[in-house]
Short mmCIF file of all heavy atoms in Angstrom, two decimals:
data_model
loop_
_atom_site.label_atom_id
_atom_site.label_comp_id
_atom_site.label_asym_id
_atom_site.label_seq_id
_atom_site.Cartn_x
_atom_site.Cartn_y
_atom_site.Cartn_z
N MET M 1 98.17 66.99 105.03
CA MET M 1 97.34 68.15 104.87
C MET M 1 96.31 67.88 103.80
O MET M 1 96.65 67.45 102.75
CB MET M 1 98.21 69.37 104.51
CG MET M 1 97.36 70.65 104.32
SD MET M 1 98.37 72.09 103.86
CE MET M 1 99.24 72.43 105.34
N THR M 2 95.06 68.07 104.13
CA THR M 2 94.01 67.85 103.17
C THR M 2 93.92 68.96 102.14
O THR M 2 94.52 70.01 102.32
CB THR M 2 92.64 67.71 103.87
OG1 THR M 2 92.32 68.98 104.44
CG2 THR M 2 92.64 66.65 104.97
N LYS M 3 93.20 68.66 101.10
CA LYS M 3 93.06 69.67 100.05
C LYS M 3 92.42 70.97 100.51
O LYS M 3 92.87 72.08 100.20
CB LYS M 3 92.25 69.13 98.84
CG LYS M 3 92.14 70.09 97.69
CD LYS M 3 91.37 69.47 96.55
CE LYS M 3 91.25 70.43 95.44
NZ LYS M 3 90.47 69.95 94.29
N ASP M 4 91.41 70.85 101.38
CA ASP M 4 90.71 72.01 101.97
C ASP M 4 91.73 72.79 102.81
O ASP M 4 91.70 74.02 102.79
CB ASP M 4 89.50 71.60 102.76
CG ASP M 4 88.39 71.01 101.89
OD1 ASP M 4 88.36 71.39 100.73
OD2 ASP M 4 87.58 70.29 102.40
N ASN M 5 92.49 72.14 103.66
CA ASN M 5 93.43 72.78 104.52
C ASN M 5 94.53 73.47 103.67
O ASN M 5 94.93 74.58 104.02
CB ASN M 5 94.08 71.83 105.48
CG ASN M 5 93.22 71.41 106.58
OD1 ASN M 5 92.14 72.01 106.82
ND2 ASN M 5 93.55 70.37 107.29
N PHE M 6 94.91 72.88 102.58
CA PHE M 6 95.94 73.45 101.67
C PHE M 6 95.40 74.73 101.09
O PHE M 6 96.10 75.71 100.97
CB PHE M 6 96.35 72.44 100.63
CG PHE M 6 97.33 73.08 99.61
CD1 PHE M 6 98.65 73.32 100.04
CD2 PHE M 6 96.94 73.44 98.37
CE1 PHE M 6 99.56 73.89 99.13
CE2 PHE M 6 97.86 74.01 97.51
CZ PHE M 6 99.15 74.23 97.87
N VAL M 7 94.11 74.72 100.60
CA VAL M 7 93.56 75.91 99.99
C VAL M 7 93.49 77.01 101.01
O VAL M 7 93.78 78.15 100.68
CB VAL M 7 92.16 75.55 99.38
CG1 VAL M 7 91.44 76.85 98.97
CG2 VAL M 7 92.28 74.51 98.25
N ILE M 8 93.07 76.76 102.24
CA ILE M 8 93.04 77.72 103.29
C ILE M 8 94.43 78.27 103.58
O ILE M 8 94.65 79.51 103.62
CB ILE M 8 92.41 77.15 104.59
CG1 ILE M 8 90.92 76.86 104.33
CG2 ILE M 8 92.58 78.13 105.75
CD1 ILE M 8 90.29 76.03 105.45
N TRP M 9 95.40 77.40 103.66
CA TRP M 9 96.79 77.86 103.91
C TRP M 9 97.29 78.67 102.74
O TRP M 9 97.88 79.71 102.91
CB TRP M 9 97.70 76.63 104.05
CG TRP M 9 99.11 77.02 104.15
CD1 TRP M 9 99.81 77.37 105.28
CD2 TRP M 9 100.07 77.13 103.06
NE1 TRP M 9 101.08 77.68 104.97
CE2 TRP M 9 101.26 77.54 103.63
CE3 TRP M 9 100.02 76.90 101.69
CZ2 TRP M 9 102.42 77.73 102.87
CZ3 TRP M 9 101.13 77.09 100.93
CH2 TRP M 9 102.32 77.49 101.48
N LEU M 10 97.01 78.27 101.51
CA LEU M 10 97.53 78.96 100.33
C LEU M 10 96.91 80.37 100.26
O LEU M 10 97.65 81.35 99.98
CB LEU M 10 97.16 78.18 99.05
CG LEU M 10 97.74 78.78 97.71
CD1 LEU M 10 99.23 78.87 97.75
CD2 LEU M 10 97.18 77.96 96.54
N LYS M 11 95.65 80.49 100.53
CA LYS M 11 95.03 81.88 100.51
C LYS M 11 95.66 82.75 101.57
O LYS M 11 95.97 83.95 101.29
CB LYS M 11 93.51 81.75 100.72
CG LYS M 11 92.75 81.22 99.60
CD LYS M 11 91.25 81.14 99.88
CE LYS M 11 90.51 80.56 98.71
NZ LYS M 11 89.06 80.41 99.01
N ALA M 12 95.86 82.22 102.80
CA ALA M 12 96.48 83.01 103.85
C ALA M 12 97.95 83.36 103.53
O ALA M 12 98.37 84.47 103.75
CB ALA M 12 96.40 82.22 105.16
N ALA M 13 98.66 82.42 102.94
CA ALA M 13 100.04 82.70 102.57
C ALA M 13 100.15 83.71 101.52
O ALA M 13 101.05 84.62 101.50
CB ALA M 13 100.74 81.38 102.13
N LEU M 14 99.25 83.69 100.50
CA LEU M 14 99.25 84.67 99.40
C LEU M 14 98.87 86.05 99.94
O LEU M 14 99.43 87.08 99.47
CB LEU M 14 98.38 84.20 98.25
CG LEU M 14 98.86 82.97 97.54
CD1 LEU M 14 97.90 82.57 96.44
CD2 LEU M 14 100.26 83.25 96.95
N VAL M 15 97.91 86.12 100.81
CA VAL M 15 97.56 87.42 101.44
C VAL M 15 98.75 88.02 102.16
O VAL M 15 99.07 89.17 102.04
CB VAL M 15 96.29 87.30 102.37
CG1 VAL M 15 96.11 88.52 103.18
CG2 VAL M 15 95.04 86.99 101.54
N ARG M 16 99.40 87.13 102.96
CA ARG M 16 100.55 87.61 103.69
C ARG M 16 101.65 88.05 102.76
O ARG M 16 102.31 89.09 102.92
CB ARG M 16 101.05 86.53 104.60
CG ARG M 16 102.28 86.88 105.40
CD ARG M 16 102.71 85.84 106.34
NE ARG M 16 101.89 85.89 107.54
CZ ARG M 16 102.35 85.65 108.73
NH1 ARG M 16 103.58 85.22 108.85
NH2 ARG M 16 101.61 85.78 109.81
N ALA M 17 101.87 87.30 101.66
CA ALA M 17 102.92 87.67 100.69
C ALA M 17 102.55 88.95 99.98
O ALA M 17 103.46 89.81 99.75
CB ALA M 17 103.06 86.49 99.70
N ALA M 18 101.32 89.20 99.63
CA ALA M 18 100.89 90.46 98.95
C ALA M 18 101.15 91.64 99.89
O ALA M 18 101.64 92.69 99.42
CB ALA M 18 99.47 90.33 98.60
N ARG M 19 100.81 91.46 101.15
CA ARG M 19 101.11 92.58 102.13
C ARG M 19 102.59 92.83 102.27
O ARG M 19 103.04 93.99 102.32
CB ARG M 19 100.55 92.18 103.50
CG ARG M 19 99.05 92.25 103.52
CD ARG M 19 98.49 91.90 104.91
NE ARG M 19 97.02 91.94 104.94
CZ ARG M 19 96.28 91.41 105.81
NH1 ARG M 19 96.86 90.69 106.80
NH2 ARG M 19 95.01 91.51 105.75
N THR M 20 103.39 91.76 102.34
CA THR M 20 104.82 91.91 102.39
C THR M 20 105.39 92.60 101.15
O THR M 20 106.28 93.51 101.27
CB THR M 20 105.52 90.50 102.58
OG1 THR M 20 105.00 89.93 103.74
CG2 THR M 20 107.01 90.64 102.67
N ILE M 21 104.90 92.23 99.96
CA ILE M 21 105.33 92.87 98.73
C ILE M 21 105.00 94.31 98.76
O ILE M 21 105.84 95.19 98.43
CB ILE M 21 104.66 92.20 97.49
CG1 ILE M 21 105.27 90.79 97.34
CG2 ILE M 21 104.83 93.03 96.28
CD1 ILE M 21 104.52 89.92 96.35
N ALA M 22 103.80 94.71 99.21
CA ALA M 22 103.40 96.09 99.24
C ALA M 22 104.24 96.90 100.23
O ALA M 22 104.66 98.01 99.93
CB ALA M 22 101.92 96.23 99.59
N GLN M 23 104.50 96.31 101.37
CA GLN M 23 105.31 97.01 102.40
C GLN M 23 106.74 97.20 101.91
O GLN M 23 107.37 98.27 102.11
CB GLN M 23 105.30 96.19 103.65
CG GLN M 23 104.00 96.16 104.39
CD GLN M 23 103.91 95.14 105.54
OE1 GLN M 23 104.76 94.26 105.60
NE2 GLN M 23 102.97 95.28 106.38
N THR M 24 107.29 96.20 101.23
CA THR M 24 108.62 96.38 100.69
C THR M 24 108.73 97.41 99.63
O THR M 24 109.65 98.18 99.59
CB THR M 24 109.08 95.00 100.15
OG1 THR M 24 109.03 94.03 101.19
CG2 THR M 24 110.53 95.09 99.64
N ALA M 25 107.67 97.44 98.74
CA ALA M 25 107.69 98.45 97.67
C ALA M 25 107.58 99.82 98.30
O ALA M 25 108.28 100.75 97.87
CB ALA M 25 106.53 98.20 96.74
N ILE M 26 106.69 100.03 99.28
CA ILE M 26 106.59 101.30 99.92
C ILE M 26 107.83 101.77 100.56
O ILE M 26 108.26 102.89 100.47
CB ILE M 26 105.40 101.29 100.96
CG1 ILE M 26 104.08 101.12 100.27
CG2 ILE M 26 105.45 102.52 101.92
CD1 ILE M 26 102.99 100.77 101.18
N ALA M 27 108.51 100.85 101.25
CA ALA M 27 109.79 101.16 101.95
C ALA M 27 110.90 101.50 100.92
O ALA M 27 111.65 102.46 101.10
CB ALA M 27 110.24 99.98 102.80
N THR M 28 110.92 100.78 99.84
CA THR M 28 111.95 100.98 98.78
C THR M 28 111.71 102.28 98.04
O THR M 28 112.63 103.08 97.81
CB THR M 28 112.00 99.81 97.80
OG1 THR M 28 112.09 98.62 98.53
CG2 THR M 28 113.21 99.89 96.89
N ILE M 29 110.42 102.56 97.71
CA ILE M 29 110.14 103.84 97.03
C ILE M 29 110.39 104.97 97.98
O ILE M 29 110.92 106.07 97.55
CB ILE M 29 108.67 103.85 96.55
CG1 ILE M 29 108.50 102.81 95.45
CG2 ILE M 29 108.22 105.21 96.14
CD1 ILE M 29 107.06 102.50 95.09
N GLY M 30 110.03 104.82 99.25
CA GLY M 30 110.21 105.86 100.21
C GLY M 30 111.67 106.26 100.52
O GLY M 30 111.95 107.31 101.07
N SER M 31 112.60 105.38 100.12
CA SER M 31 114.05 105.68 100.33
C SER M 31 114.57 106.63 99.35
O SER M 31 115.71 107.18 99.53
CB SER M 31 114.83 104.36 100.31
OG SER M 31 114.87 103.80 99.04
N SER M 32 113.82 106.99 98.30
CA SER M 32 114.24 108.00 97.31
C SER M 32 113.82 109.37 97.70
O SER M 32 112.76 109.54 98.30
CB SER M 32 113.71 107.68 95.93
OG SER M 32 114.14 106.40 95.50
N ALA M 33 114.62 110.38 97.35
CA ALA M 33 114.29 111.69 97.73
C ALA M 33 113.11 112.28 96.93
O ALA M 33 112.25 112.94 97.48
CB ALA M 33 115.52 112.66 97.51
N VAL M 34 113.14 111.95 95.67
CA VAL M 34 111.97 112.36 94.76
C VAL M 34 111.53 111.19 93.92
O VAL M 34 112.30 110.25 93.64
CB VAL M 34 112.36 113.57 93.88
CG1 VAL M 34 112.52 114.84 94.69
CG2 VAL M 34 113.67 113.27 93.07
N LEU M 35 110.27 111.21 93.45
CA LEU M 35 109.74 110.08 92.72
C LEU M 35 110.52 109.80 91.43
O LEU M 35 110.65 108.70 90.99
CB LEU M 35 108.26 110.36 92.41
CG LEU M 35 107.45 109.20 91.93
CD1 LEU M 35 107.44 108.09 92.95
CD2 LEU M 35 106.04 109.66 91.62
N SER M 36 111.08 110.82 90.84
CA SER M 36 111.81 110.63 89.59
C SER M 36 113.14 109.89 89.77
O SER M 36 113.72 109.36 88.83
CB SER M 36 112.11 111.95 88.86
OG SER M 36 112.92 112.74 89.71
N GLU M 37 113.59 109.78 91.04
CA GLU M 37 114.82 109.09 91.32
C GLU M 37 114.63 107.60 91.76
O GLU M 37 115.58 106.94 92.13
CB GLU M 37 115.59 109.81 92.40
CG GLU M 37 116.12 111.15 91.95
CD GLU M 37 116.86 111.88 93.07
OE1 GLU M 37 117.06 111.31 94.15
OE2 GLU M 37 117.30 113.03 92.83
N VAL M 38 113.37 107.16 91.75
CA VAL M 38 113.09 105.80 92.17
C VAL M 38 113.73 104.79 91.19
O VAL M 38 113.52 104.90 89.94
CB VAL M 38 111.57 105.53 92.31
CG1 VAL M 38 111.30 104.09 92.60
CG2 VAL M 38 110.99 106.46 93.36
N ASN M 39 114.43 103.80 91.71
CA ASN M 39 115.04 102.73 90.90
C ASN M 39 113.95 101.67 90.81
O ASN M 39 113.83 100.81 91.70
CB ASN M 39 116.31 102.26 91.49
CG ASN M 39 116.96 101.22 90.69
OD1 ASN M 39 116.31 100.58 89.77
ND2 ASN M 39 118.23 100.96 90.90
N TRP M 40 113.14 101.66 89.78
CA TRP M 40 111.98 100.75 89.68
C TRP M 40 112.41 99.30 89.57
O TRP M 40 111.67 98.43 90.05
CB TRP M 40 111.03 101.16 88.51
CG TRP M 40 110.42 102.48 88.81
CD1 TRP M 40 110.75 103.70 88.26
CD2 TRP M 40 109.38 102.75 89.77
NE1 TRP M 40 109.97 104.71 88.77
CE2 TRP M 40 109.13 104.17 89.74
CE3 TRP M 40 108.70 102.03 90.69
CZ2 TRP M 40 108.17 104.75 90.57
CZ3 TRP M 40 107.71 102.57 91.48
CH2 TRP M 40 107.49 103.95 91.46
N LYS M 41 113.58 99.03 88.98
CA LYS M 41 113.98 97.61 88.92
C LYS M 41 114.33 97.12 90.29
O LYS M 41 114.07 95.97 90.67
CB LYS M 41 115.25 97.53 87.99
CG LYS M 41 114.94 97.66 86.53
CD LYS M 41 116.20 97.49 85.73
CE LYS M 41 115.87 97.67 84.29
NZ LYS M 41 117.11 97.52 83.42
N LEU M 42 114.93 97.99 91.10
CA LEU M 42 115.22 97.65 92.49
C LEU M 42 113.95 97.40 93.27
O LEU M 42 113.85 96.43 94.06
CB LEU M 42 116.08 98.70 93.20
CG LEU M 42 116.40 98.53 94.66
CD1 LEU M 42 117.24 97.31 94.89
CD2 LEU M 42 116.96 99.76 95.26
N VAL M 43 112.91 98.26 93.14
CA VAL M 43 111.70 98.13 93.78
C VAL M 43 111.03 96.81 93.43
O VAL M 43 110.59 96.05 94.33
CB VAL M 43 110.71 99.35 93.46
CG1 VAL M 43 109.36 99.05 94.00
CG2 VAL M 43 111.30 100.63 94.00
N LEU M 44 110.99 96.47 92.13
CA LEU M 44 110.40 95.26 91.67
C LEU M 44 111.12 94.02 92.18
O LEU M 44 110.54 93.09 92.75
CB LEU M 44 110.31 95.26 90.16
CG LEU M 44 109.74 94.00 89.53
CD1 LEU M 44 108.22 93.92 89.93
CD2 LEU M 44 109.87 94.07 88.03
N SER M 45 112.48 94.02 92.08
CA SER M 45 113.18 92.86 92.47
C SER M 45 113.14 92.64 94.00
O SER M 45 113.02 91.48 94.44
CB SER M 45 114.65 92.86 91.99
OG SER M 45 115.33 93.95 92.63
N ALA M 46 113.25 93.69 94.79
CA ALA M 46 113.23 93.62 96.22
C ALA M 46 111.84 93.11 96.66
O ALA M 46 111.67 92.33 97.58
CB ALA M 46 113.55 94.91 96.88
N SER M 47 110.80 93.62 95.98
CA SER M 47 109.41 93.24 96.36
C SER M 47 109.09 91.81 96.03
O SER M 47 108.51 91.09 96.83
CB SER M 47 108.41 94.15 95.64
OG SER M 47 108.62 95.51 96.07
N VAL M 48 109.51 91.35 94.83
CA VAL M 48 109.32 89.97 94.46
C VAL M 48 110.06 89.01 95.41
O VAL M 48 109.56 88.02 95.83
CB VAL M 48 109.67 89.74 93.00
CG1 VAL M 48 109.75 88.24 92.65
CG2 VAL M 48 108.75 90.46 92.08
N LEU M 49 111.33 89.36 95.67
CA LEU M 49 112.11 88.58 96.61
C LEU M 49 111.43 88.48 98.00
O LEU M 49 111.39 87.37 98.58
CB LEU M 49 113.50 89.12 96.76
CG LEU M 49 114.47 88.34 97.70
CD1 LEU M 49 114.63 86.89 97.22
CD2 LEU M 49 115.77 89.05 97.75
N ALA M 50 110.92 89.58 98.50
CA ALA M 50 110.28 89.60 99.77
C ALA M 50 109.01 88.69 99.74
O ALA M 50 108.70 87.99 100.67
CB ALA M 50 109.88 90.99 100.14
N GLY M 51 108.28 88.78 98.60
CA GLY M 51 107.10 87.84 98.46
C GLY M 51 107.48 86.37 98.49
O GLY M 51 106.83 85.55 99.09
N VAL M 52 108.53 86.02 97.77
CA VAL M 52 108.95 84.62 97.70
C VAL M 52 109.38 84.17 99.13
O VAL M 52 109.06 83.09 99.57
CB VAL M 52 110.13 84.46 96.70
CG1 VAL M 52 110.77 83.08 96.83
CG2 VAL M 52 109.59 84.66 95.28
N ILE M 53 110.16 85.00 99.80
CA ILE M 53 110.59 84.67 101.16
C ILE M 53 109.44 84.52 102.07
O ILE M 53 109.38 83.62 102.95
CB ILE M 53 111.58 85.73 101.68
CG1 ILE M 53 112.87 85.63 100.90
CG2 ILE M 53 111.86 85.54 103.17
CD1 ILE M 53 113.87 86.75 101.14
N SER M 54 108.36 85.37 101.92
CA SER M 54 107.21 85.32 102.79
C SER M 54 106.46 83.98 102.54
O SER M 54 106.09 83.31 103.54
CB SER M 54 106.27 86.44 102.45
OG SER M 54 105.08 86.31 103.14
N VAL M 55 106.32 83.55 101.32
CA VAL M 55 105.70 82.24 101.06
C VAL M 55 106.52 81.10 101.65
O VAL M 55 105.96 80.21 102.24
CB VAL M 55 105.40 82.06 99.53
CG1 VAL M 55 105.01 80.61 99.25
CG2 VAL M 55 104.45 83.06 99.00
N LEU M 56 107.85 81.20 101.48
CA LEU M 56 108.68 80.12 102.05
C LEU M 56 108.57 80.11 103.57
O LEU M 56 108.56 79.01 104.18
CB LEU M 56 110.13 80.31 101.60
CG LEU M 56 110.38 80.08 100.12
CD1 LEU M 56 111.85 80.48 99.75
CD2 LEU M 56 110.09 78.61 99.74
N MET M 57 108.53 81.25 104.20
CA MET M 57 108.42 81.32 105.66
C MET M 57 107.01 80.79 106.10
O MET M 57 106.92 80.26 107.21
CB MET M 57 108.61 82.73 106.14
CG MET M 57 110.09 83.20 106.06
SD MET M 57 111.22 82.25 106.98
CE MET M 57 110.71 82.50 108.62
N SER M 58 106.04 80.92 105.25
CA SER M 58 104.71 80.46 105.63
C SER M 58 104.65 78.91 105.66
O SER M 58 103.75 78.42 106.34
CB SER M 58 103.67 81.00 104.61
OG SER M 58 103.56 82.36 104.68
N ILE M 59 105.59 78.26 105.02
CA ILE M 59 105.66 76.85 105.12
C ILE M 59 105.78 76.37 106.58
O ILE M 59 105.25 75.31 106.95
CB ILE M 59 106.78 76.28 104.24
CG1 ILE M 59 106.39 76.51 102.77
CG2 ILE M 59 107.02 74.76 104.48
CD1 ILE M 59 107.52 76.21 101.79
N THR M 60 106.51 77.11 107.38
CA THR M 60 106.67 76.75 108.80
C THR M 60 105.41 76.93 109.63
O THR M 60 105.37 76.45 110.73
CB THR M 60 107.86 77.51 109.42
OG1 THR M 60 107.51 78.95 109.47
CG2 THR M 60 109.14 77.33 108.66
N GLY M 61 104.46 77.61 109.06
CA GLY M 61 103.18 77.80 109.75
C GLY M 61 102.76 79.26 109.69
O GLY M 61 103.58 80.15 109.64
N LEU M 62 101.47 79.44 109.75
CA LEU M 62 100.83 80.76 109.80
C LEU M 62 100.12 80.91 111.09
O LEU M 62 99.23 80.16 111.41
CB LEU M 62 99.89 80.93 108.57
CG LEU M 62 100.55 80.94 107.28
CD1 LEU M 62 99.49 80.85 106.13
CD2 LEU M 62 101.40 82.20 107.05
N PRO M 63 100.44 81.92 111.90
CA PRO M 63 99.75 82.07 113.18
C PRO M 63 98.25 82.34 113.00
O PRO M 63 97.46 82.07 113.96
CB PRO M 63 100.52 83.28 113.82
CG PRO M 63 101.37 83.87 112.77
CD PRO M 63 101.49 82.91 111.68
N GLU M 64 97.88 82.94 111.91
CA GLU M 64 96.44 83.27 111.72
C GLU M 64 95.61 82.03 111.35
O GLU M 64 94.40 82.07 111.34
CB GLU M 64 96.27 84.39 110.65
CG GLU M 64 96.84 84.13 109.33
CD GLU M 64 98.29 84.70 109.17
OE1 GLU M 64 98.98 84.86 110.16
OE2 GLU M 64 98.64 84.93 108.04
N ILE M 65 96.31 80.88 111.07
CA ILE M 65 95.57 79.66 110.72
C ILE M 65 96.04 78.60 111.70
O ILE M 65 97.24 78.29 111.82
CB ILE M 65 95.93 79.19 109.31
CG1 ILE M 65 95.68 80.28 108.32
CG2 ILE M 65 95.22 77.91 109.00
CD1 ILE M 65 94.60 80.07 107.35
N LYS M 66 95.16 78.00 112.46
CA LYS M 66 95.54 77.01 113.40
C LYS M 66 95.71 75.68 112.65
O LYS M 66 94.99 75.31 111.75
CB LYS M 66 94.46 76.80 114.39
CG LYS M 66 94.31 78.00 115.32
CD LYS M 66 93.31 77.72 116.44
CE LYS M 66 93.27 79.01 117.29
NZ LYS M 66 92.53 78.81 118.53
N GLY M 67 96.76 74.95 113.04
CA GLY M 67 96.98 73.60 112.47
C GLY M 67 97.68 73.60 111.16
O GLY M 67 97.58 72.62 110.39
N THR M 68 98.43 74.64 110.78
CA THR M 68 99.10 74.59 109.50
C THR M 68 100.46 73.91 109.57
O THR M 68 101.06 73.59 108.55
CB THR M 68 99.38 76.03 108.98
OG1 THR M 68 100.12 76.78 109.95
CG2 THR M 68 98.07 76.74 108.68
N LYS M 69 100.97 73.64 110.72
CA LYS M 69 102.25 72.90 110.88
C LYS M 69 101.94 71.39 110.82
O LYS M 69 101.63 70.78 111.81
CB LYS M 69 102.91 73.27 112.21
CG LYS M 69 103.89 74.37 112.14
CD LYS M 69 104.60 74.43 113.45
CE LYS M 69 105.90 75.26 113.25
NZ LYS M 69 106.62 75.34 114.51
N GLU M 70 102.01 70.87 109.65
CA GLU M 70 101.77 69.39 109.46
C GLU M 70 102.87 68.84 108.59
O GLU M 70 103.36 69.41 107.71
CB GLU M 70 100.38 69.16 108.86
CG GLU M 70 99.27 69.55 109.80
CD GLU M 70 97.90 69.30 109.16
OE1 GLU M 70 97.82 68.70 108.14
OE2 GLU M 70 96.91 69.62 109.85
#
């Protein structure tokens, strides 16, 4: 993988990870009945874990980028 391809892949992987983090945070916050009952440590840890998993899954390839499986 060339440096240019890596930069393109990294940007796409980080965008995907950011979306995954946001979706996980929304789902975790939404599971509380009221905002004052939100377990913010759980929201943070679940969101970060989802982001890490997203980046690791991106290693296998990103459908939005052709030729990332190298």
Side-chain angles (χ1 to χ4, degrees):
M1 180 181 289
T2 67
K3 183 178 178 180
D4 291 336
N5 287 346
F6 177 74
V7 171
I8 292 169
W9 175 86
L10 184 61
K11 287 180 183 178
L14 292 177
V15 166
R16 180 177 275 216
R19 288 180 180 162
T20 302
I21 289 168
Q23 291 168 345
T24 303
I26 291 166
T28 309
I29 291 168
S31 66
S32 297
V34 289
L35 194 59
S36 63
E37 293 180 3
V38 174
N39 183 341
W40 293 106
K41 287 182 182 179
L42 175 67
V43 171
L44 180 64
S45 66
S47 299
V48 169
L49 179 60
V52 169
I53 292 170
S54 176
V55 171
L56 291 174
M57 290 299 296
S58 294
I59 291 172
T60 63
L62 293 169
E64 55 267 25
I65 308 248
K66 294 185 178 189
T68 58
K69 268 189 163 179
E70 292 181 5

